[in-house]
Each structure stands twice: as C-alpha cells, then as structure tokens.
C-alpha cells in the first residue's frame, strides 16, 4: 500500500481568540495527511509535533531524501498503520513551516509580524488544530499521539476537548514545564537576542538561511545537551577526539564538540530564530492546571483513554514528571489511564530515535 502523502494549507478568516486575550486573523495552517479517510470518518489519528518539528511526520518528498521526523512509526504496516488509519499532522500556529507565525505577513500590511506577533500558548495551538479539523468535517478522532511539545498538545486536547479523541498517547512530556527546562530555553533565547546578526528581530531571513545565526547555533547546542543524557553521550562519543585534530591544538575538538557544532550551525540555517523565541515561550508557560484550581481539577475533565510514556533517562522532562501526572489521575479516581517508563539511556530524544522500545506498545494501544 502507498503512504498517500498529501500536503495542504487551509486559510482561515475568522479571528482566532488566543489565551492572552489577543486575536490572530487571518491565519493559515499547513498540514499533511497519510492513508485514506474511511466513509464514517472514524479512522483518524492526529499526530502533534515537537518544538522544531513540522507537519512533515512521515514519508519523503519527491525532491528530497530526508524522511519525516516519525517515519519509523507512521506508514504501511507500522505502529501507526496508514493502511488502516487516516493520519493528520499539522504545523502549529507560531511555527515557520507554512502555518502563520512571526515571519508571516501581517494583514493588511505587507510586512512580517516579527515582534507584533502575539504570544501563543500550547492551548492556542490545540485550539487552532481543532478549528482545522472542524473545517475538514472531522469531529471525533480515534487517537492523538505526540512526544515532547507534541505530548503537551496531546494532554491539552485531553483536557480542553474531552470528547474529541478516544485515545491519547503522550510521550516524553510533562504536566507543566519545570525550571530546569526553562533554564535551557533561557540559554537559547539569550544567545539569539544577543547576536548582533539577529538585528533585534529585524534580520533578513534570506541572509540567515544562507549564513545561519551563530547565537542560535550556540543556543541549540545547549538544547542538544538536554536532548541526550550523560549515558548516551558516553556511549556515542566517549572521549574520542577528532582524528584530524591535534590534542594540544587549542581549537582541536572532541567528537562530542563537533557533533554539537554540526547540529547547532546546521539548525540555524533552516529554523527561524523569532519562531524559536515564540515557541520556547509557549513551552515555558505551558501548565495543564492554568485556569483550574489545581492539576486534579483539570484532569477531572479527561474522558479519553490516556496513555503516558516517559523515558528513564530523559533529563529535559524527567520521568517523575509523567509519574506525578499518573499519580494525580489515580488520586482523582481516573481508571482510564496507563503509565509506562521506558527503560532507555538515550535521553529526551529517545521518543524520536528508539522507536523499537515503544512502537509495539503504541500498536497495542491502537488495536485496543
């Protein structure tokens, strides 16, 4: 069977009322679908992407060789089986891959929003997706699956649209972003803001695409440290030195250093810096309990079967954060949830890399 990959953009002219009290209008949402929608529209699975992810979750574009970020999980015969399910992944509001974000043109002026773009929250991202699904005449889905910031979106769906999904699977996420993760984001934000080439937000995006932004590269290096773990770095690089560099050259490098450099500088050419500031802000202010008296009160709204997956050596969102969520669900008498801690030394990015450790688990959940 073919993946039947299709990419679309929907344009919305009704105002999107944001959590901050501000509005966004008009706006676009770019999304991708895989598989085929059945007549009853009952085979939909929604995929939510992480900070630097996009709607391109699976398959390969004709002119490209890089497959979607969860390609190992989504496709014919895979855990999220496109022979059976119609899978939708949309680019979040505020991102830079087609949905409206800080570098989109502000209506009716013909210039980018930049800092005039409103702060969006994870809840706003979810609300915009819900509006998209309404337009596609999809009012209930079989499952919502996401990791990291995608897992946060999945949890927001569970609370704010309790009758929308039968099953919700959240991986490597948390119930509220903790100081540790906010601290890593701070390093990235400061590195971007203090880079003279950022030009206080008035940079030329074409120049950045060509040259990258060294401040953002440095910030991304800090991010990468939080995506791995001491154990996975030891396994991956140990104390190996670059073969071409001398040990006593001042700028000679360990392999871990060139890995961070390569990932950091490369990244700054394809991801927009203002978008990075806006999305890390959304992650920082994420808190499932906001607007409720307590986390327990918020979780009382959940009606879907909720499945929580953490990774033992995740240093960004510690496994005990997911555990706290599971304990809270138990203490309010919710019997429709499961929690599993995957035995992994990889770190936070295990949800993208070590698919073989949890794909059968996801398959079992989806097959009931």
């Amino acid at each position: 069977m073919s993946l039947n990959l299709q990419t679309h953009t929907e344009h919305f002219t009704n105002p999107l009322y944001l959590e901050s009290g501000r509005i966004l209008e008009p706006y676009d949402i770019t999304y991708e679908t895989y598989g085929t929608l059945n007549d009853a529209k009952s085979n939909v699975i929604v995929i939510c992407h992480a900070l630097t992810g996009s709607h391109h979750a699976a398959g390969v574009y004709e002119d490209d060789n890089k497959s979607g970020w969860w390609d190992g999980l989504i496709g014919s015969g895979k855990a999220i089986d496109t022979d059976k399910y119609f899978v939708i992944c949309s680019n979040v509001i505020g991102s830079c891959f087609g949905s409206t974000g800080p570098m989109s043109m502000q209506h009716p002026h013909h210039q980018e929003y930049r800092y005039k773009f409103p702060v969006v929250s994870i809840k706003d991202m979810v609300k915009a997706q819900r509006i998209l699904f309404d337009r596609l005449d999809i009012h209930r889905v079989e499952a919502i699956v996401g990791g990291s910031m995608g897992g946060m979106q999945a949890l927001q769906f569970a609370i704010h649209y309790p009758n929308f999904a039968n099953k919700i699977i959240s991986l490597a996420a948390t119930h509220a972003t903790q100081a540790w993760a906010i601290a890593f984001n701070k390093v990235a934000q400061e590195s971007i803001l203090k880079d003279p080439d950022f030009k206080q937000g008035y940079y030329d995006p074409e120049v950045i695409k060509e040259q990258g932004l060294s401040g953002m590269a440095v910030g991304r290096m800090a991010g990468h440290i939080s995506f791995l773990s001491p154990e996975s770095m030891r396994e991956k690089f140990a104390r190996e030195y670059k073969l071409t560099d001398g040990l006593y050259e001042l700028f000679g490098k360990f392999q871990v250093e060139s890995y961070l450099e390569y990932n950091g500088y490369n990244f700054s050419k394809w991801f927009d810096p203002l978008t990075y500031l806006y999305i890390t802000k959304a992650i920082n202010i994420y808190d499932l309990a906001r607007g409720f008296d307590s986390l327990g009160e918020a979780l009382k709204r959940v009606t879907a079967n909720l499945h929580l997956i953490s990774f033992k050596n995740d240093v960004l969102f510690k496994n005990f954060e997911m555990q706290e969520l599971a304990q809270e669900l138990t203490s309010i008498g919710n019997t429709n949830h499961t929690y599993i801690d995957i035995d992994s030394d990889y770190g936070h990015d295990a949800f993208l890399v070590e698919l073989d450790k949890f794909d059968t688990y996801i398959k079992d959940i989806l097959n009931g």
Side-chain angles (χ1 to χ4, degrees):
M1 298 279 283
S2 79
L3 184 67
N4 189 20
L5 183 160
Q6 293 184 31
T7 312
H8 308 273
T9 298
E10 284 285 336
H11 183 69
F12 298 88
T13 50
N14 283 358
L16 177 65
Y17 292 92
L18 304 172
E19 210 183 341
S20 64
R22 291 186 63 185
I23 60 172
L24 191 61
E25 69 171 326
Y27 60 97
D28 291 340
I29 297 181
T30 296
Y31 67 99
E32 210 156 278
T33 64
Y34 321 96
T36 310
L37 185 60
N38 65 15
D39 292 341
K41 297 190 175 179
S42 62
N43 66 331
V44 180
I45 290 184
V46 173
I47 303 294
C48 301
H49 71 76
L51 165 54
T52 60
S54 70
H55 51 282
H56 183 39
V60 180
Y61 296 143
E62 273 169 28
D63 51 356
D64 199 7
N65 54 4
K66 200 174 184 299
S67 51
W69 55 269
W70 238 0
D71 189 61
L73 206 63
I74 302 165
S76 177
K78 295 178 185 174
I80 298 172
D81 191 347
T82 50
D83 300 340
K84 196 167 159 184
Y85 297 109
F86 181 64
V87 181
I88 305 181
C89 182
S90 72
N91 187 214
V92 298
I93 287 287
S95 185
C96 53
F97 298 112
S99 295
T100 298
M103 290 304 278
S104 303
M105 292 296 172
Q106 186 180 4
H107 185 76
H109 323 291
H110 291 286
Q111 59 209 48
E112 299 93 352
Y113 275 100
R114 299 188 190 257
Y115 281 134
K116 294 192 175 83
F117 193 72
V119 164
V120 293
S121 66
I122 306 287
K123 187 176 166 187
D124 295 329
M125 294 172 182
V126 164
K127 184 179 192 175
Q129 287 174 65
R130 190 69 182 77
I131 291 167
L132 168 69
F133 302 140
D134 267 344
R135 173 163 303 178
L136 301 178
D137 201 24
I138 292 166
H139 307 291
R140 189 168 183 113
V141 300
E142 182 52 29
I144 301 172
V145 191
S148 193
M149 185 183 92
M152 296 174 173
Q153 293 169 65
L155 292 168
Q156 288 279 22
F157 266 111
I159 286 170
H160 294 286
Y161 302 100
N163 300 316
F164 183 62
N166 297 329
K167 297 164 184 167
I168 288 180
I169 306 173
S170 174
L171 303 92
T174 179
H175 52 89
T177 304
Q178 304 298 312
W180 176 256
I182 295 169
F184 273 106
N185 286 339
K186 177 65 174 167
V187 175
Q189 291 162 349
E190 281 297 304
S191 308
I192 291 170
L193 294 172
K194 296 295 184 282
D195 186 326
D197 292 334
F198 179 65
K199 298 188 171 156
Q200 295 175 314
Y202 288 88
Y203 53 87
D204 178 343
E206 292 311 310
V207 173
I208 302 270
K209 267 184 197 137
E210 204 174 302
Q211 300 173 5
L213 186 70
S214 56
M216 178 139 138
V218 173
R220 185 63 174 172
M221 289 182 206
H224 261 282
I225 296 170
S226 75
F227 303 151
L228 296 171
S229 71
E231 290 75 9
S232 66
M233 279 202 186
R234 188 172 178 172
E235 177 137 329
K236 233 179 159 91
F237 312 110
R239 285 184 48 79
E240 295 301 315
Y241 211 70
K242 269 191 80 175
L243 296 175
T244 50
D245 288 1
L247 187 61
Y248 300 107
E249 281 171 42
L250 180 57
F251 298 109
K253 292 186 190 85
F254 282 94
Q255 283 183 7
V256 65
E257 295 177 296
S258 42
Y259 164 83
L260 289 175
E261 271 184 16
Y262 172 78
N263 279 296
Y265 286 100
N266 209 11
F267 172 73
S268 75
K269 291 178 179 172
W270 60 263
F271 199 85
D272 172 63
L274 269 171
T275 297
Y276 200 88
L277 295 176
Y278 272 91
I279 296 190
T280 49
K281 174 68 178 177
I283 289 173
N284 287 353
I285 62 175
Y286 161 80
D287 182 353
L288 285 180
R290 188 166 51 250
F292 297 94
D293 289 341
S294 65
L295 179 59
E297 282 301 312
L299 294 172
K300 280 180 185 165
R301 292 177 55 89
V302 176
T303 61
N305 287 324
L306 187 52
H307 302 279
L308 309 172
I309 302 176
S310 62
F311 295 86
K312 194 182 77 188
N313 238 331
D314 186 340
V315 293
L316 186 61
F317 299 125
K318 301 290 284 178
N319 58 358
F320 63 71
E321 297 176 42
M322 269 311 212
Q323 220 173 313
E324 286 166 356
L325 199 48
Q327 285 163 351
E328 196 60 51
L329 283 160
T330 304
S331 73
I332 60 166
N334 179 308
T335 52
N336 275 352
H337 73 277
T338 63
Y339 165 65
I340 181 170
D341 187 35
I342 303 289
D343 188 16
S344 161
D345 271 342
Y346 195 89
H348 181 66
D349 269 358
F351 84 94
L352 293 170
V353 178
E354 296 192 315
L355 306 182
D356 56 332
K357 290 198 170 175
F358 61 85
D359 60 350
T360 31
Y361 184 64
I362 287 184
K363 198 176 227 168
D364 291 346
I365 290 170
L366 296 178
N367 293 339

